[in-house]
Structure formats: C-alpha cells, structure tokens
Amino acid sequence: MDSGDKLSFNHLEEYFWYGETGLELFLDCPCRLAGGFVFLCVAGEAVVCHGVEERRIGRNMKSIALPGTTFHVKSASGDFRVRLFAFSREMFDEVSLGLGFSFSEYLRNAPFAAHAEDHPFTKNAVLWADMAALLSGDAGNRFRPLMMRHFLQCYLMYLYERIRMNLVSEPPGLTRKRELFHRFMSLLPAHCHARRDVLFYAEKLHITTRYLYAVTREAASFKSPKEVIDRYFVLEIKILLQSPKLSMSEIAYRLNFPGESYFCRYFKRHTGMSPKNYRMMKRNNP
C-alpha cells in the first residue's frame, strides 16, 4: 500500500497524495500546513500537536488537519506509522465551499478520534485509507482528479456527520466571531456574483467592516474578508469555465463584470493564468 515515496513538503502541496509514513517530516518541526491531510495510526505511538492542542496518538486513532493548521510531532516511537492521504488547499476549497453548510469548524474542533479495533468506525477508517491508496495509485485513469475531488468531499461529509452524531452541543470555542464567520460564508453563494465589496456583507451581518476584518482574522486565519470573497468567487469562475458551452463573454456577463477584458484580468490576477489557459488545462486534465 505504500506509495514508495517518503513524505515531503512537496507532497503536501500536491493536489492529492497517499502514503505510509512515520511523520518524521514534522518531528520537532512546527509547520503551518498549506494543504491538509488525514491519517490513521497503524503502529506505535506519538505525541502530536494541532496548534496548541496536544494528543498522544496510538493504534487505530485517526486525525485530520485542515489547511492553515499548525502541526508538529513532539515525540514518536521508532515503530510509529500512519496511513495518510494529503490534499491541497485548492482541492479542499473546491469540495468544501460549495457544500451549502459550514462544517470546517466542527472538524477543526475535533481533530482526533479513537475507537476499538473491532468498532465499525475503525473498520470504516481502514476502508477510506484503502480507497485513497487505490485512487493515488491509479495513475492511468484520466478521470482520477475528478474522482479524487469526489472522494474527499464524500469523506469530509461522512466525517462531519459522525462528529455531529457524537456531539451533545456545539463544539467548544464557537465564539460570536466564529458564528459570524459561518453566517458570512453562507451569504456568499447567494450574493457573490453581484456583490464583492466588504461593506455589503458587513451591512448584511449588521456589523462594521472593521469588525468583519477581525472576524476573518480570528475565526478563519484569513487576512481579510475581501480575501474570502475573492477566493470563493474565483471558485465560482472555475466552475463556469469547465462548461464548454459558455464563452468568455457569457461568463463575464453572468458574473456582472463590465466586460470580458476586465473578467480576464481579474481571473489572472488571482490565479496567475488566463481563463483560456485554465479552461485548456482542465480539458486536458479532467
């Protein structure tokens, strides 16, 4: 099942990667993750830290680290091994922002889970790891990127529901700012095509723009609400660009840009490539 390649920081920036590792990369090396990963411990034990939360990991324990998490391994036994699949921030954004409900907070507040060897959740965790290994190794399948996205989306929804079923109340630390961030995110699908100014969303939330800046910095580690708006809007553009029936001018019109050239400049400023090149790339790599 091993990918045959030792875990590196490059793997954590790939769209999707699977392997078996001792997490040596993170030993005494705190890192703010560009992407995210899920792992299932299959041998040994270690003390790992998600931000300030420290936990001893043993066999059959699983953990999820989302993009932006500060992660490191404080100590590990010589036989410590995990089965891990990693995913990029781009993939996480693609599968999470469009789900219609906010579950990232639940996952961030419950990054660890442990069950007995014969527990159904443990058996399911092994099956999910097997599927990740299968997808990662199926290099000849031209639909693999799409299958990977669907796999991650299904896994996150499955995990979210398992967490909710075992929570008596909202997770600890659900502050007013975190609640406002969830409400802010829920406004984007309905309004981002027409409105991308911070003032509009602040007024919808009945707060000042300054307070909305504080919300995004504290609740989600974003630099600004404009970054959140633009990131979500770029994902909307990418979805439309994958439809061959829509011309660039039609997409620009749908998204309320003054013209096609303005639309192209906006997309290139935020992605580093033109809409045309992005569309060609997606056609060549479905």
Side-chain angles (χ1 to χ4, degrees), residues 90-153:
E90 177 188 4
M91 177 185 269
F92 180 76
D93 286 345
E94 286 176 353
V95 304
S96 66
L97 290 183
L99 283 174
F101 56 86
S102 179
F103 59 87
S104 297
E105 194 62 34
Y106 288 92
L107 301 183
R108 289 188 189 278
N109 281 280
F112 303 102
H115 300 284
E117 182 83 29
D118 58 350
H119 195 284
F121 288 175
T122 299
K123 296 178 180 179
N124 289 343
V126 173
L127 289 174
W128 284 107
D130 288 344
M131 286 189 285
L134 179 64
L135 283 172
S136 184
D138 193 13
N141 191 328
R142 67 190 182 96
F143 296 108
R144 188 170 65 149
L146 180 61
M147 293 166 66
M148 288 174 172
R149 289 196 296 273
H150 288 325
F151 166 80
L152 181 60
Q153 186 176 66

Side-chain angles (χ1 to χ4, degrees), residues 20-271:
E20 295 189 13
T21 172
L23 296 178
E24 299 90 349
L25 181 68
F26 297 105
L27 188 60
D28 293 324
C29 183
C31 173
R32 183 173 294 278
L33 302 174
F37 58 74
V38 175
F39 69 72
L40 172 68
C41 179
V42 295
E45 62 179 21
V47 176
V48 303
C49 301
H50 286 249
V52 297
E53 183 174 358
E54 183 178 302
R55 183 70 64 88
R56 183 170 294 277
I57 295 290
R59 181 175 169 81
N60 295 327
M61 286 192 71
K62 67 175 182 288
S63 181
I64 180 168
L66 300 185
T69 299
T70 301
F71 180 86
H72 75 279
V73 178
K74 192 172 182 179
S75 62
S77 62
D79 61 343
F80 177 64
R81 298 289 290 175
V82 302
R83 299 180 65 186
L84 176 147
F85 63 86
F87 45 89
S88 67
R89 177 182 286 274
E90 177 188 4
M91 177 185 269
F92 180 76
D93 286 345
E94 286 176 353
V95 304
S96 66
L97 290 183
L99 283 174
F101 56 86
S102 179
F103 59 87
S104 297
E105 194 62 34
Y106 288 92
L107 301 183
R108 289 188 189 278
N109 281 280
F112 303 102
H115 300 284
E117 182 83 29
D118 58 350
H119 195 284
F121 288 175
T122 299
K123 296 178 180 179
N124 289 343
V126 173
L127 289 174
W128 284 107
D130 288 344
M131 286 189 285
L134 179 64
L135 283 172
S136 184
D138 193 13
N141 191 328
R142 67 190 182 96
F143 296 108
R144 188 170 65 149
L146 180 61
M147 293 166 66
M148 288 174 172
R149 289 196 296 273
H150 288 325
F151 166 80
L152 181 60
Q153 186 176 66
C154 289
Y155 177 79
L156 292 177
M157 288 191 292
Y158 164 83
L159 190 60
Y160 170 80
E161 189 62 17
R162 296 285 76 76
I163 294 171
R164 282 180 60 92
M165 288 171 60
N166 289 280
L167 284 173
V168 176
S169 61
E170 290 292 302
L174 195 63
T175 64
R176 169 170 164 75
K177 287 180 180 177
R178 293 177 186 274
E179 180 185 352
L180 283 169
F181 181 75
H182 294 331
R183 289 170 56 193
F184 173 40
M185 292 300 298
S186 70
L187 290 171
L188 293 175
H191 300 288
C192 74
H193 286 196
R195 301 300 299 264
R196 296 185 290 280
D197 55 297
V198 175
L199 178 60
F200 172 82
Y201 293 96
E203 290 178 344
K204 282 283 185 181
L205 295 169
H206 306 291
I207 60 177
T208 65
T209 56
R210 183 175 181 179
Y211 193 73
L212 185 52
Y213 272 81
V215 165
T216 57
R217 286 197 302 270
E218 179 179 310
S221 299
F222 285 100
K223 294 179 181 178
S224 71
K226 189 65 169 73
E227 179 186 351
V228 179
I229 296 167
D230 286 334
R231 182 172 295 182
Y232 188 93
F233 189 52
V234 167
L235 291 176
E236 292 289 298
I237 296 174
K238 288 180 176 180
I239 291 171
L240 293 177
L241 285 172
Q242 294 178 53
S243 173
K245 296 180 179 180
L246 295 174
S247 67
M248 296 297 172
S249 60
E250 287 172 326
I251 294 175
Y253 176 77
R254 283 194 182 194
L255 299 178
N256 293 285
F257 282 99
E260 182 180 339
S261 61
Y262 189 96
F263 159 66
C264 292
R265 288 197 300 272
Y266 176 91
F267 187 80
K268 188 170 185 178
R269 183 168 72 251
H270 288 281
T271 66

